[in-house]
Amino acid sequence: QRTTMEGRASRGVGAGSSPPPCFVRPFRRTRAIPPRDSRLAGSSSSSTTSTSSFSGPGENDDAARGTTTTATTTLTEEALQGRGDGRSKGRQKLFTNISPVYDVLNDALSLGLHRTWKRRVVKLTECGVGDTALDVCCGSGDLAFLLARKVGGSGHVSALDFSANMLSYALQRSVSKDLFRFTFDRRGGKGGASTISWIHGDALDLPFDDSSFDCVTIGYGLRNVEDRERCLQEVRRVLRPGKRAVILDFNSPDESGEGGRRSKAINTFRDACLDAFVVPVATACGLREEYAYLKPSIADYPTGEDLVALARDEVGFGEAEFQEIAAGLMGALVLRK
């Protein structure tokens, strides 16, 4: 079945409202935007979001904003060292390039364990049948599909990413695998319309009303956004009071504090795996530069302790904890509004 990108994203996907189209293109807001002072400090709003300022394999790619780079600038340098739109554009290119082989490489490089980690994340959200869920930086859709199974036909999942290529691939997966029912209308089903809406949008300016979702997930996306604090502010804004957000990513423990020897062992083992296995495999697939970005981006990612402090003290989450996964190689930031 041929599916076109059409429609506009709706601000607000709550109980009793019709879900937005299955796959929506870069959108223009069509409803009044709340005054800036009615949203969390640091959040910004604009009249349109036809482009994006974040990334995530989580999984995203909007039409890149107009910047140019010299011929000698590598994609990794552009993604890491650029400023503003330039860095965003570099990261969009990166995830656009890897989208065709994203799942294959994830399975190979994690020995399939990333699926186990993602199932744990969904369990930590505490979402249930009939809930409304949001997956930010959804990438190829792994967490969105798991959330759809969790909330069932009477619930709804919004999956947002800035990479149009990733969204297209996620939609193809839903058609080619036994996931069709989680994307298209389920006529006669208990929930009525589609369970998942694929939305091309910006993690730093989420196109939803305040307190719209029962749970929010981000899988390997917070590490790649331009402004992590603002991203967390947006997550908190759209989350309903008392509900959870769970963010999965690589763990980068502090080697100078208590347990420094263990932390050093974790970081050393992770970096050795990246150098000896991940990058060579990616190189064989013609994606050396794209996966060379992984190691420095992890080094730049805050420790679990710093993430907790950011979420609780700066953003204002009522509860925040960091749980190590896979013997400390990965970590889940668990937040409650």
Side-chain angles (χ1 to χ4, degrees):
Q1 178 174 345
R2 183 178 178 183
T3 304
T4 58
M5 298 170 64
E6 60 184 5
R8 293 177 175 172
S10 167
R11 288 184 62 87
V13 184
S17 64
S18 299
C22 165
F23 189 13
V24 294
R25 62 190 173 190
F27 41 79
R28 294 178 182 272
R29 293 199 178 97
T30 57
R31 298 178 59 182
I33 302 172
R36 184 169 299 202
D37 60 3
S38 72
R39 297 168 66 171
L40 291 174
S43 266
S44 69
S45 59
S46 60
S47 60
T48 66
T49 41
S50 60
T51 59
S52 166
S53 57
F54 79 101
S55 65
E59 291 166 344
N60 289 303
D61 182 6
D62 243 319
R65 293 169 178 164
T67 59
T68 59
T69 56
T70 65
T72 57
T73 302
T74 67
L75 182 57
T76 300
E77 290 171 340
E78 190 177 354
L80 287 170
Q81 300 171 9
R83 292 292 181 269
D85 292 347
R87 180 156 67 172
S88 174
K89 181 179 178 180
R91 296 182 180 185
Q92 289 167 359
K93 287 181 183 177
L94 189 151
F95 290 106
T96 294
N97 290 350
I98 67 176
S99 58
V101 293
Y102 185 74
D103 278 339
V104 174
L105 281 176
N106 278 351
D107 284 335
L109 300 176
S110 71
L111 302 178
L113 293 175
H114 72 100
R115 301 185 186 281
T116 300
W117 307 332
K118 290 169 182 174
R119 284 194 293 270
R120 178 171 175 180
V121 165
V122 171
K123 184 176 181 180
L124 286 170
T125 63
E126 299 179 348
C127 69
V129 174
D131 282 348
T132 304
L134 170 65
D135 183 29
V136 179
C137 304
C138 67
S140 61
D142 280 350
L143 281 171
F145 292 132
L146 291 171
L147 287 168
R149 289 187 172 97
K150 193 77 171 177
V151 303
S154 57
H156 186 266
V157 177
S158 293
L160 178 142
D161 200 283
F162 80 162
S163 170
N165 281 44
M166 280 290 189
L167 288 170
S168 296
Y169 178 60
L171 188 60
Q172 291 169 22
R173 289 182 68 205
S174 71
V175 175
S176 62
K177 298 187 177 183
D178 185 26
L179 301 165
F180 188 88
R181 65 188 183 279
F182 294 116
T183 296
F184 295 96
D185 287 353
R186 301 176 62 187
R187 304 199 181 280
K190 201 167 182 181
S194 60
T195 301
I196 301 179
S197 296
W198 304 101
I199 301 171
H200 193 197
D202 191 343
L204 304 185
D205 193 9
L206 297 174
F208 308 106
D209 287 334
D210 297 356
S211 303
S212 294
F213 296 97
D214 297 299
C215 69
V216 179
T217 59
I218 305 178
Y220 302 99
L222 185 64
R223 173 168 44 87
N224 299 302
V225 298
E226 182 72 21
D227 186 336
R228 297 183 185 114
E229 181 176 350
R230 181 176 166 189
C231 180
L232 290 176
Q233 287 171 342
E234 283 292 276
V235 168
R236 183 183 181 277
R237 180 181 66 80
V238 302
L239 192 63
R240 290 179 178 138
K243 300 300 184 178
R244 272 188 170 184
V246 183
I247 299 165
L248 173 68
D249 217 308
F250 285 91
N251 183 25
S252 186
D254 183 6
E255 298 179 10
S256 63
E258 186 177 346
R261 292 181 62 182
R262 178 178 179 273
S263 297
K264 184 175 182 179
I266 290 172
N267 290 334
T268 300
F269 178 74
R270 182 198 62 232
D271 289 346
C273 289
L274 291 173
D275 291 336
F277 184 51
V278 174
V279 174
V281 171
T283 300
C285 296
L287 295 169
R288 175 181 177 82
E289 193 175 343
E290 286 78 359
Y291 275 79
Y293 160 83
L294 201 55
K295 187 175 177 180
S297 75
I298 295 170
D300 184 55
Y301 194 55
T303 65
E305 184 177 319
D306 289 341
L307 287 170
V308 167
L310 173 65
R312 184 181 56 214
D313 302 334
E314 302 298 327
V315 178
F317 278 97
E319 298 177 12
E321 64 171 323
F322 187 81
Q323 297 185 15
E324 290 189 344
I325 298 175
L329 293 174
M330 304 292 159
L333 180 62
V334 185
L335 310 171
R336 192 184 299 275
K337 183 174 177 179

